[in-house]
Amino acid sequence: MAIVKPFKAVRPSRDKAALVSSKSYEAYTPAELGAKLNFNPFSFLHILNPDYKYHQEVSSEQRFQLVHKKYTEFKSSNYFSKDDKPAFYIYQNNTPTKSYCGIISATAAEDYHNNVIKKHEDTLEKRELLFEKYLKKTGFNAEPVLLTYPDNEVIEKIIKKHQKERPEYEFTTTDRNSHLLWVINNEEEISQITEAFKSVTTFYIADGHHRTTSSCLLAKKLAKENKNHTGQEPYNFFMSYLLPESQLGIYEFNRFIRDLNGLSSAEFLIEIGKLFKIQKKHQEFYRPPDKNQFSMYLDGEFYALSLKKSAYKFTDALSKLDAQILFTTVLNPILGINDIRNDSKIVYSQNKSGSLELKTKVDSGEFKVSFGMLPATIEELKTIVDANLLMPPKTTFIEPKLRSALTIYEL
């Protein structure tokens, strides 16, 4: 049974919501970031990058303190205010091709520790600890973790009812996405939403693994430090965006390899041919039509690769995943890539747009060969997670990508 709670969000005023909210910090190029900081005094990026005006390096500890200070300045300037009553927040994000709509809530660290909230990717301890320090110093979550759950008719009915009403926020950003937010603070409806989520036995982390783990590490640490700990303190929860799994957008990552591990192209193709049926596609852009099939671009030509089932043994749910198949058959044994997270020989690029990057990045000379595959499905993700297995890094590029500071959860 999942624990889902309303909370008193700190939010931008209606007239400034579009100006305050931002994409994730890493989503901006240096030029875009500079433009935002130079010309939009209301942007949440000023909080995330408070040392910008000093034009000098500061330590992580100093930066986190500056983040907290800048956040309090925004509140004292009335750019933000805290809701008087606990609420759930229905957030809808419309892209040019798809619409997403879910509920922003507080979710329990206890559910993560009890495996009600499950992860599909491993996390790096260094990043976990750094973000834990960040949370403790700054005292807030500004970007929800994306959790997905099996579609639920009761929750869907509540959301559809409010979608007919005027939203609290409604604006469009320069990437042509529109954003709408409704505030649900009626006690009867809060009770209905809370009860409906009790029937959800599992949430799957779709995006935000490090933020989740860090929030839960901090909750454990603060619980030990607090002699009067009850389990209901704000630090026992973290902000999440709960999205039905039918709405989740999952896209693949392409793989780009810098060299052939000492092999000539001819020798490399011979090795590949031991495990795959190879069909040369010449200059025809090729996208695999089915699972266990891959596109490869080498020496100015596309190839279709189909796994020889007789040469590969499926042992568990993970072994059936295309990203894992590519690693165990090609990347590791032939190309000598052992650590797919950190090896400099391999680079990843999300393929949401279905672009020609497989060709252009190799033709530029930076890479020798590239591989493409179909995206993983939500069913594959759930099956792997439920078997207590983890996907390889850069298996899924998941949407929606959420904005920061539409709602802020104070710890």
Side-chain angles (χ1 to χ4, degrees), residues 281-314:
K281 294 291 184 177
H282 302 287
Q283 288 296 309
E284 175 191 347
F285 178 76
Y286 175 74
R287 179 178 171 83
D290 207 348
K291 292 290 183 179
N292 304 159
Q293 298 180 19
F294 303 84
S295 57
M296 181 176 77
Y297 187 75
L298 173 71
D299 293 341
E301 295 186 302
F302 281 100
Y303 294 83
L305 308 181
S306 298
L307 182 68
K308 293 178 180 177
K309 301 295 175 67
S310 59
Y312 183 85
K313 186 176 181 180
F314 296 112

Side-chain angles (χ1 to χ4, degrees), residues 82-140:
K82 192 168 187 174
D83 285 342
D84 295 328
K85 298 168 64 177
F88 288 114
Y89 303 87
I90 296 176
Y91 170 57
Q92 181 175 333
N93 176 8
N94 301 321
T95 75
T97 58
K98 193 167 182 178
S99 179
Y100 308 94
C101 192
I103 294 178
I104 298 174
S105 76
T107 46
E110 176 187 343
D111 279 350
Y112 178 76
H113 296 307
N114 293 338
N115 214 29
V116 173
I117 297 174
K118 297 182 178 182
K119 65 180 182 178
H120 73 267
E121 283 185 3
D122 209 351
T123 50
L124 299 174
E125 185 179 11
K126 185 177 180 180
R127 285 191 65 190
E128 292 172 5
L129 296 175
L130 181 66
F131 196 68
E132 179 198 339
K133 289 180 181 178
Y134 171 85
L135 289 173
K136 190 169 185 179
K137 287 290 183 184
T138 61
F140 61 80

Side-chain angles (χ1 to χ4, degrees), residues 29 154 158 295 308 328:
T29 66
V154 175
I158 294 171
S295 57
K308 293 178 180 177
T328 56

Side-chain angles (χ1 to χ4, degrees), residues 153-169:
E153 289 185 7
V154 175
I155 299 169
E156 183 181 1
K157 186 177 179 180
I158 294 171
I159 289 175
K160 285 185 174 179
K161 174 193 171 188
H162 286 282
Q163 284 177 313
K164 296 176 183 177
E165 302 169 355
R166 185 195 177 197
E168 175 73 7
Y169 301 150

Side-chain angles (χ1 to χ4, degrees), residues 369-386:
V369 64
S370 61
F371 297 93
M373 67 196 81
L374 291 182
T377 65
I378 184 64
E379 289 76 19
E380 286 179 308
L381 185 151
K382 290 169 61 177
T383 301
I384 289 169
V385 170
D386 290 343

Side-chain angles (χ1 to χ4, degrees), residues 149-195:
Y149 62 93
D151 289 43
N152 182 292
E153 289 185 7
V154 175
I155 299 169
E156 183 181 1
K157 186 177 179 180
I158 294 171
I159 289 175
K160 285 185 174 179
K161 174 193 171 188
H162 286 282
Q163 284 177 313
K164 296 176 183 177
E165 302 169 355
R166 185 195 177 197
E168 175 73 7
Y169 301 150
E170 184 175 13
F171 60 91
T172 300
T173 44
T174 53
D175 55 7
R176 294 182 172 85
N177 288 359
S178 63
H179 306 270
L180 301 89
L181 184 130
W182 293 263
V183 180
I184 312 301
N185 54 22
N186 176 281
E187 290 186 9
E188 182 179 347
E189 289 184 317
I190 284 176
S191 179
Q192 289 173 353
I193 293 170
T194 305
E195 287 300 313

